[in-house]
Amino acid sequence: MIELEISAASWTGCVRRQNEDMVLVGNKFIREDSYKTMLVLSREDRFLSAVADGMGGHNRGDVASSDTLRNLQYFFYDIPSCLSISDFNEAIVGWLDSVNNYIASKGRADEQFKGMGTTLVGMAYYNGEFYSMNCGDSRLYHYHDGRLLQLTTDHSLSNMTGSDKRSNVITNCIGGGCHSSYIDMVQITNDVHSGDVYLLCSDGLTDMVPDQRLCELLGENADADALCRAAVEAGGLDNVSCCVITVKL
């Protein structure tokens, strides 16, 4: 049995007029709210948590992030049981193509949705295995034994060039006119230990709070609200959303 202690929060921040982020924890969607829960999972159970950071389309990034997470939540819990690791990966890649087409068709049908898109970072438990998934520059971190490691790779121009000058330009997303979207799927089961903490977050957190400070906060058992508060106290220039998952085996 695996026990997960989870906190999630999504705040507008100090500058933006609306919150285009959204967090998914199991069957719960969080925006302008916070949430805490405790789950006990057997090998036969499945669980998904994800953060989506919406953008574009006349400020309808809120629709892109919401539609993507709701679509993913329905798809994930409807996947047949006991798929192999490769078949599970293939299923998620197929879902990405499907949701990209859906977001694009919504933009073609209604001008207000044209160009909207979203990042996606997630952590899934399926068939006794843990997975990370990533599309864009939202991040998944692993806190273990006092050290913080970024598990996902930012799909951003700054990461490609090694420069921070255009850190807001991403090279991969869901929708947003991106016709060759891809998703990084990685099995992380062997890196999951009792007491480890996993942090999923939008760039509204990481642009405001450096990794060293995130490491300190997680070492102090900070929950999602405390992390969002740290980003707001540092200026809160963007929406800020995160999910903190503590694993107990």
Side-chain angles (χ1 to χ4, degrees), residues 25-205:
V25 177
N27 294 313
K28 177 75 173 180
F29 297 92
I30 301 104
R31 173 181 283 158
E32 286 308 295
D33 200 1
S34 59
Y35 175 69
K36 289 186 176 182
T37 190
M38 182 86 71
L39 298 175
V40 177
L41 304 175
S42 68
R43 181 180 177 84
E44 291 73 31
D45 292 323
R46 62 182 73 182
F47 169 74
L48 174 68
S49 183
V51 173
D53 181 353
M55 68 200 82
H58 300 281
N59 291 322
R60 299 324 306 264
D62 61 321
V63 175
S65 59
S66 176
D67 283 357
T68 295
L69 287 187
R70 293 180 190 280
N71 191 298
L72 176 60
Q73 187 266 349
Y74 178 84
F75 177 86
F76 176 75
Y77 287 99
D78 198 47
I79 293 175
S81 300
C82 298
L83 291 181
S84 67
I85 292 172
S86 60
D87 286 345
F88 177 68
N89 286 347
E90 186 176 335
I92 297 297
V93 170
W95 167 80
L96 178 66
D97 289 338
S98 174
V99 75
N100 253 327
N101 290 333
Y102 173 75
I103 297 294
S105 67
K106 204 163 186 174
R108 289 192 296 269
D110 191 329
E111 183 68 22
Q112 71 169 314
F113 300 126
K114 185 177 181 180
M116 70 177 182
T118 184
T119 68
L120 174 73
V121 64
M123 182 174 174
Y125 179 75
Y126 170 81
N127 200 27
E129 304 287 349
F130 283 98
Y131 298 84
S132 68
M133 59 181 72
N134 179 50
C135 180
D137 65 349
S138 294
R139 295 177 177 178
L140 173 62
Y141 287 93
H142 178 204
Y143 177 80
H144 170 76
D145 198 23
R147 296 182 179 181
L148 187 67
L149 174 67
Q150 182 181 337
L151 296 184
T152 53
T153 299
D154 294 350
H155 303 153
S156 65
L157 186 61
S158 60
N159 188 56
M160 289 176 61
T161 63
S163 170
D164 293 329
K165 292 183 179 179
R166 300 179 67 182
S167 60
N168 63 325
V169 178
I170 62 174
T171 57
N172 180 38
C173 67
I174 295 171
C178 193
H179 301 297
S180 58
S181 300
Y182 60 93
I183 190 163
D184 291 338
M185 287 284 297
V186 181
Q187 181 194 7
I188 60 172
T189 308
N190 292 339
D191 294 323
V192 178
H193 306 93
S194 187
D196 285 1
V197 180
Y198 289 84
L199 168 64
L200 301 97
C201 59
S202 64
D203 65 353
L205 177 65

